[in-house]
């Protein structure tokens, strides 16, 4: 069955678990997809570019977008707003693409409520809390206070694993990439309710009477 309408893959997991590295390493192996660039009020880290890693905005502008109903979902993570804009996601879905969101567990819950029939989800984590701490420290991008915030948040986030379709423990990176590629293939096969019903109508029309 041709997947004319697209589908959504949500990837979540603690900061430092390697979500971005996984997506980057898999990008040439997963075919055509649209990566949803989130909007955030968090200041850019060194090397991050506006419109590439995030759309960086101030709080007033983010709150105006909330009031205008421009977000599919948004949440406060580590004290900053993060949100997924609805319009580009709709366009990519209408173009039949796989849309990948790197969002937190709160955003996953909201998106599931709104578009659950299109969503496949995967939780990515390190093998242990100690390993997460080690990776956050060696990344060298955040100061101790921020690292502590991320660790406290990870302790809460990990409890949401049960809400996800798949779990990838990012221990052996090559294996994790292979697993992620497999998950993207499964996600592409997911069909929305509307699309399934359309297929049923079409299929009945083609059945000899
Ligand atoms: P970071 O500041 O490390 O880039 O991201 C912090 C957290 O925010 C990560 O867990 C990431 O998945 C999450 N995040 C990024 N964009 C969004 C978004 O649009 N919505 C939600 N709910 N979470 C997001």
């Amino acid at each position: 069955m041709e997947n004319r309408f697209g589908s959504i893959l949500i990837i979540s997991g603690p900061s430092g678990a390697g979500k971005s590295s996984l997506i980057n390493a898999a990008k040439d192996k997963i075919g055509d997809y649209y990566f949803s660039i989130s909007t955030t009020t968090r200041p850019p880290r060194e090397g991050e570019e506006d419109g590439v890693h995030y759309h960086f905005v101030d709080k007033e502008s983010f709150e105006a977008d909330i009031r205008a109903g421009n977000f599919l979902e948004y949440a406060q993570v580590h004290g900053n707003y993060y949100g997924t804009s609805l319009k580009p996601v709709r366009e990519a879905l209408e173009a039949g693409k796989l849309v990948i969101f790197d969002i937190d567990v709160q955003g996953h819950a909201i998106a599931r409520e709104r578009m659950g029939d299109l969503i496949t989800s995967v939780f990515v984590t390190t093998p242990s809390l100690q390993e997460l701490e080690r990776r956050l420290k060696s990344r060298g991008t955040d100061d101790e206070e921020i690292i502590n915030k991320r660790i406290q948040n990870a302790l809460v986030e990990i409890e949401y694993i049960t809400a996800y379709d798949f779990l990838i423990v990012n221990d052996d990176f090559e294996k994790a990439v292979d697993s992620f590629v497999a998950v993207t293939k499964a996600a592409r096969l997911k069909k929305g309710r509307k699309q399934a019903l359309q297929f049923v109508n079409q299929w009945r029309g083609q059945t000899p009477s």
Side-chain angles (χ1 to χ4, degrees):
M1 177 177 171
E2 190 195 338
N3 202 359
R4 262 183 255 118
F5 199 69
S7 43
I8 296 174
L9 174 60
I10 296 183
I11 176 167
S12 305
S15 293
K19 290 167 291 175
S20 311
S21 311
L22 269 185
I23 298 171
N24 271 334
K27 70 173 179 240
D28 295 332
K29 301 178 186 166
I30 60 179
D32 194 22
Y33 71 95
Y34 169 76
F35 181 76
S36 162
I37 301 168
S38 297
T39 302
T40 185
T41 57
R42 152 167 97 57
R45 291 194 194 115
E46 216 179 293
E48 283 184 336
E49 274 179 57
D50 186 40
V52 177
H53 299 90
Y54 282 104
H55 299 292
F56 294 100
V57 300
D58 59 25
K59 198 166 166 240
E60 288 66 37
S61 149
F62 196 102
E63 288 175 344
D65 272 347
I66 296 176
R67 286 192 297 274
N70 289 341
F71 291 117
L72 163 62
E73 63 74 36
Y74 68 92
Q76 289 215 23
V77 188
H78 315 133
N80 291 300
Y81 278 123
Y82 292 82
T84 306
S85 296
L86 196 50
K87 194 167 166 262
V89 170
R90 270 212 189 114
E91 286 167 359
L93 287 172
E94 277 160 15
K97 291 195 178 158
L98 173 68
V99 184
I100 302 182
F101 298 174
D102 170 348
I103 62 175
D104 87 317
V105 295
Q106 307 167 74
H108 169 251
I110 299 166
R112 275 245 179 236
E113 264 176 37
R114 296 190 66 178
M115 291 187 164
D117 62 336
L118 294 177
I119 294 173
T120 300
S121 63
V122 57
F123 194 94
V124 176
T125 185
T126 50
S128 66
L129 182 63
Q130 287 85 345
E131 176 59 14
L132 181 70
E133 201 170 347
R134 197 193 61 73
R135 287 190 200 172
L136 282 173
K137 285 183 178 156
S138 68
R139 186 155 88 167
T141 49
D142 300 305
D143 63 32
E144 205 172 319
E145 194 194 325
I146 292 184
I147 290 178
N148 285 338
K149 243 189 206 174
R150 288 172 191 269
I151 287 169
Q152 290 312 312
N153 202 44
L155 284 164
V156 176
E157 283 177 302
I158 199 83
E159 291 183 18
Y160 288 78
I161 277 185
T162 51
Y164 284 76
D165 298 314
F166 298 105
L167 167 66
I168 297 179
V169 178
N170 187 5
D171 192 1
D172 177 328
F173 187 67
E174 289 311 311
K175 277 194 190 155
V177 173
D178 287 348
S179 300
F180 182 68
V181 171
V183 168
T184 64
K185 287 184 181 160
R188 270 188 208 282
L189 294 173
K190 180 112 182 177
K191 78 247 164 296
R193 189 180 145 72
K194 203 166 138 196
Q195 187 202 4
L197 293 176
Q198 269 169 6
F199 176 77
V200 170
N201 284 338
Q202 195 188 325
W203 186 88
R204 282 190 178 140
Q206 286 163 354
T207 307
S209 50

